[in-house]
Amino acid sequence: AIFGGVEELIELELFDDIFSVVIDTMQNRFDMLQNLITPSYLKEPPYNRLLYHLAKGDSKIVSAYYKSKLGEQSGNEIVQELEELKVLQIEKSRENPLKIHPKHKLKKELRSYIIQDKARFTKPFYRFWFAFVIPYIDELQAGRVDEFLDNFQNHYEKLRSYIFEQLSLEVLQV
């Protein structure tokens, strides 16, 4: 859920609890972790803002554009680039468009509804990095981990449950 996709580059102690591993890694191997995010411009705006919102939110692409203050055209270009870099993969919506009789109008509250595709991170590590590390990057670079760790401990279950859900969906689709 945290180091998935880069675990071969990190020595993990099997019997340590996850919080000890994260503290140790952030304090002693932060520079190495930071170098795993390539290309390096992904750590800069507007990429990091979009990836942060995708990592923290429900992964709906158009919603992430809005929260990141990106227009649809520039957002689409960035997502396409992230797809080519294999940072994200797009999951097409399985929702069907709202159908009504041609002579009837949709209800007012349904007229602005947009069916949105979702963006999924190709590696759990990317989701961890952009959801938890990017907001505290300055503190972590300075060697201060307390605020990061508090946030991580408070929200770790959400990250873990999301990864479990994603893995379960992959198993069910096989």
Side-chain angles (χ1 to χ4, degrees):
I2 297 170
F3 300 115
V6 297
E7 63 274 359
E8 66 278 356
L9 304 172
I10 300 170
E11 294 177 25
L12 300 175
E13 292 295 325
L14 188 60
F15 298 106
D16 286 347
D17 70 280
I18 192 65
F19 299 109
S20 300
V21 171
V22 169
I23 290 170
D24 178 62
T25 305
M26 287 298 156
Q27 287 177 331
N28 300 320
R29 294 179 259 175
F30 182 75
D31 290 336
M32 186 267 303
L33 281 181
Q34 193 165 343
N35 290 332
L36 296 176
I37 303 298
T38 57
S40 62
Y41 62 80
L42 296 179
K43 296 176 266 185
E44 305 297 327
Y47 295 92
N48 67 353
R49 284 194 319 258
L50 178 61
L51 290 166
Y52 169 78
H53 289 293
L54 288 170
K56 291 294 274 189
D58 60 8
S59 303
K60 291 187 177 179
I61 295 173
V62 177
S63 299
Y65 294 166
Y66 176 75
K67 291 174 185 172
S68 303
K69 297 179 174 52
L70 288 171
E72 194 167 344
Q73 182 178 356
S74 59
N76 284 338
E77 290 170 4
I78 291 172
V79 166
Q80 183 177 358
E81 182 180 355
L82 293 170
E83 229 181 334
E84 290 168 5
L85 292 169
K86 297 193 183 330
V87 173
L88 296 176
Q89 62 187 25
I90 303 306
E91 179 184 304
K92 295 292 183 187
S93 176
R94 294 180 292 209
E95 262 185 277
N96 293 321
L98 299 172
K99 293 182 181 180
I100 59 166
H101 190 274
K103 293 184 180 182
H104 295 116
K105 285 186 175 182
L106 278 174
K107 292 181 181 177
K108 187 176 182 177
E109 61 270 11
L110 297 176
R111 288 183 203 154
S112 63
Y113 181 74
I114 299 171
I115 296 174
Q116 299 183 48
D117 295 335
K118 290 185 177 184
R120 303 280 188 201
F121 287 89
T122 57
K123 297 178 184 175
F125 175 70
Y126 289 142
R127 184 177 179 86
F128 163 74
W129 184 270
F130 289 102
F132 289 97
V133 176
I134 285 296
Y136 299 98
I137 194 86
D138 294 333
E139 290 88 352
L140 290 167
Q141 286 173 333
R144 297 187 307 269
V145 297
D146 294 338
E147 288 181 44
F148 160 80
L149 188 58
D150 287 343
N151 182 53
F152 179 73
Q153 288 176 329
N154 291 333
H155 297 95
Y156 169 68
E157 287 302 320
K158 184 177 178 183
L159 173 70
R160 191 172 76 164
S161 66
Y162 176 81
I163 298 299
F164 177 78
E165 176 187 330
Q166 195 170 359
L167 290 172
S168 298
L169 286 172
E170 286 178 23
V171 167
L172 292 173
Q173 289 176 355
V174 171

